[in-house]
């Protein structure tokens, strides 16, 4: 593969390649050499963009938090109807890069910065799910417990299912939505 100038490679391309490597090889496979080879650039290009490995990891985690959490939360909040918000959140959650996220979750146990990022992502996601559930379950304590359960379904799926079948996750979230409907006092569409 021909070498390209670092100025032709955007940081987002590094992040996309890193997520692919994480999905395929886990955190142990994510190194400067394989990342640069995947993009056809030199390590000089990498250092031009990020300055150091630590700078890259920080930028990758910030990108992941923004793209896979903040963006998803914003899109779900943009929908006014609480039941429709649940559907949007469910669809977006099923579409997450679960293989990459499973690798990040495993990596978080070995790296304190990755661990802090993983905890922030989990907290943001739990709060977002709770806000959606409160729209249909008026008891805040029940909504909080159901939000923890939803996040547990996601983390459990990412850690225990291989291959990670999106249809299975969708079915799990359909069951979860039916459980939420039982606590709402009124049936929700699609939860029968």
């Amino acid at each position: 593969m021909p070498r390209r100038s670092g100025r032709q490679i955007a940081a987002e391309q590094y992040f996309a390649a890193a997520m692919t490597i994480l999905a395929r090889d886990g955190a142990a496979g994510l190194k400067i050499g394989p990342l640069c080879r995947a993009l056809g650039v030199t390590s000089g290009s990498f250092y031009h963009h990020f300055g150091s490995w630590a700078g890259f990891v920080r930028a990758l985690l910030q990108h992941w938090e923004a793209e896979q959490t903040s963006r998803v939360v914003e899109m779900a909040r943009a929908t006014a109807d609480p039941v429709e918000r649940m559907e949007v959140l469910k669809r977006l959650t099923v579409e997450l890069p679960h293989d990459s996220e499973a690798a990040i979750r495993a990596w978080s146990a070995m790296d304190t910065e990755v661990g802090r990022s993983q905890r922030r992502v989990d907290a943001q996601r739990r709060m977002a799910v709770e806000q959606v559930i409160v729209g249909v379950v008026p008891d805040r304590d029940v909504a909080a417990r159901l939000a923890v359960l939803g996040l547990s379904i996601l983390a459990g799926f990412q850690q225990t299912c291989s291959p990670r079948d999106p249809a299975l996750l969708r079915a799990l979230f359909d069951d979860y939505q039916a459980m939420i409907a039982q606590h709402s006092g009124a049936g929700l569409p699609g939860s029968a």
Side-chain angles (χ1 to χ4, degrees):
M1 180 178 282
R3 297 284 186 197
R4 295 179 244 166
S5 163
R7 288 184 174 77
Q8 294 175 321
I9 299 294
E12 290 76 19
Q13 291 172 282
Y14 281 96
F15 304 145
M19 294 299 271
T20 298
I21 291 169
L22 282 168
R24 185 187 63 226
D25 303 326
L30 183 58
K31 297 182 179 4
I32 295 171
L35 183 60
C36 290
R37 280 192 297 280
L39 293 168
V41 298
T42 65
S43 59
S45 170
F46 173 88
Y47 287 109
H48 171 77
H49 274 288
F50 304 106
S52 66
W53 178 253
F56 170 72
V57 170
R58 268 191 304 282
L60 173 65
L61 294 171
Q62 289 169 354
H63 176 78
W64 172 60
E65 288 182 52
E67 286 299 308
Q68 301 305 328
T69 300
S70 301
R71 183 184 61 81
V72 169
V73 169
E74 287 173 21
M75 290 175 75
R77 286 182 181 155
T79 305
D81 179 63
V83 174
E84 192 174 324
R85 258 195 315 259
M86 288 178 71
E87 285 297 324
V88 168
L89 192 57
K90 184 169 37 173
R91 179 180 53 80
L92 294 171
T93 301
V94 168
E95 294 172 357
L96 289 172
H98 297 290
D99 291 335
S100 301
E101 290 209 358
I104 291 171
R105 194 168 290 282
W107 188 12
S108 75
M110 300 176 290
D111 183 295
T112 56
E113 184 168 2
V114 178
R116 282 191 297 273
S117 180
Q118 181 68 64
R119 286 188 296 279
R120 277 193 307 272
V121 164
D122 286 344
Q124 288 176 336
R125 289 176 177 177
R126 185 195 48 74
M127 288 187 304
V129 171
E130 185 175 337
Q131 288 173 352
V132 169
I133 293 172
V134 163
V136 294
V137 175
D139 185 321
R140 281 207 166 277
D141 290 337
V142 171
R145 287 194 311 272
L146 288 169
V148 170
L149 179 59
L151 189 60
S152 298
I153 292 169
L154 175 63
F157 172 79
Q158 290 178 342
Q159 291 303 111
T160 64
C161 294
S162 186
R164 291 176 186 86
D165 178 10
L168 172 59
L169 184 58
R170 174 73 185 188
L172 290 169
F173 281 137
D174 287 344
D175 293 343
Y176 174 60
Q177 186 173 358
M179 182 184 299
I180 292 169
Q182 291 174 342
H183 289 280
S184 73
L188 299 175
S191 62

